[in-house]
Amino acid sequence: MIKEFYVSTEDRYQLIDITDRVEGVVRESKVKNGLVLIFVPHSTAGIILTENESGLKQDWLAVLEKLVSGFDFLHNKIDNNADSHILSGLLGQGKTLMIENNRLIRGTWQQIFLVELDGPREQRKIIVKIVEC
Ligand code: ZN
């Protein structure tokens, strides 16, 4: 089973909790045991697991900005978003999680986030692929 949904973003860098959307897809799939791949088909966004706490979300943004500050990026001569591509590659553009008894296996403080790195964007596509196994 494969399902897509879209998220709109408001800031250049932004963390958006997509846990409920992904869990909805898992429930709807009726798959009891399997794997779920959450993938963003964009090279300027990422997928992470972290706690949904407002201070921590700001901390993430501060770290991301610092990681790419002070560089004279060559790509910026043509596109002005080298930072976005590099952070996207570092964070990764997908995660694979387990499903047991039609529920996502994750820790209490592991929410699933889309990380916008070159926003704002009207439509960031998220693909959720579920494999029964
Ligand atoms: Zn670019």
Side-chain angles (χ1 to χ4, degrees):
M1 175 192 173
I2 191 160
K3 181 125 191 180
E4 300 171 0
F5 62 86
Y6 293 88
V7 171
S8 68
T9 64
E10 289 152 17
D11 300 323
R12 183 137 199 283
Y13 290 0
Q14 188 182 353
L15 271 71
I16 295 146
D17 191 334
I18 57 168
T19 312
D20 289 347
R21 306 281 301 263
V22 174
E23 288 188 336
V25 174
V26 170
R27 269 195 307 276
E28 191 186 309
S29 77
K30 308 236 192 289
V31 168
K32 272 197 83 143
N33 300 302
L35 295 171
V36 55
L37 169 66
I38 305 126
F39 180 71
V40 59
H42 302 288
S43 73
T44 56
I47 300 285
I48 61 168
L49 300 176
T50 195
E51 182 181 351
N52 190 349
E53 189 275 317
S54 59
L56 183 61
K57 287 193 283 182
Q58 288 179 50
D59 293 337
W60 266 102
L61 299 180
V63 169
L64 293 174
E65 277 172 29
K66 196 157 188 178
L67 279 175
V68 288
S69 67
F71 293 94
D72 189 12
F73 290 121
L74 298 174
H75 182 67
N76 287 354
K77 289 177 186 155
I78 59 162
D79 204 13
N80 208 30
N81 66 354
D83 60 318
S84 317
H85 291 295
I86 287 168
L87 291 173
S88 170
L90 288 173
L91 295 179
Q93 294 149 0
K95 290 279 181 216
T96 306
L97 279 76
M98 292 172 280
I99 301 167
E100 293 285 338
N101 295 316
N102 192 238
R103 297 188 63 173
L104 214 51
I105 302 292
R106 62 180 180 85
T108 309
W109 313 117
Q110 283 180 310
Q111 278 76 46
I112 307 161
F113 281 86
L114 165 73
V115 185
E116 174 60 79
L117 297 162
D118 194 18
R121 299 288 183 108
E122 290 212 347
Q123 291 199 322
R124 284 302 202 180
K125 183 192 272 191
I126 292 148
I127 302 173
V128 180
K129 171 81 182 178
I130 297 177
V131 181
E132 200 161 12
C133 56

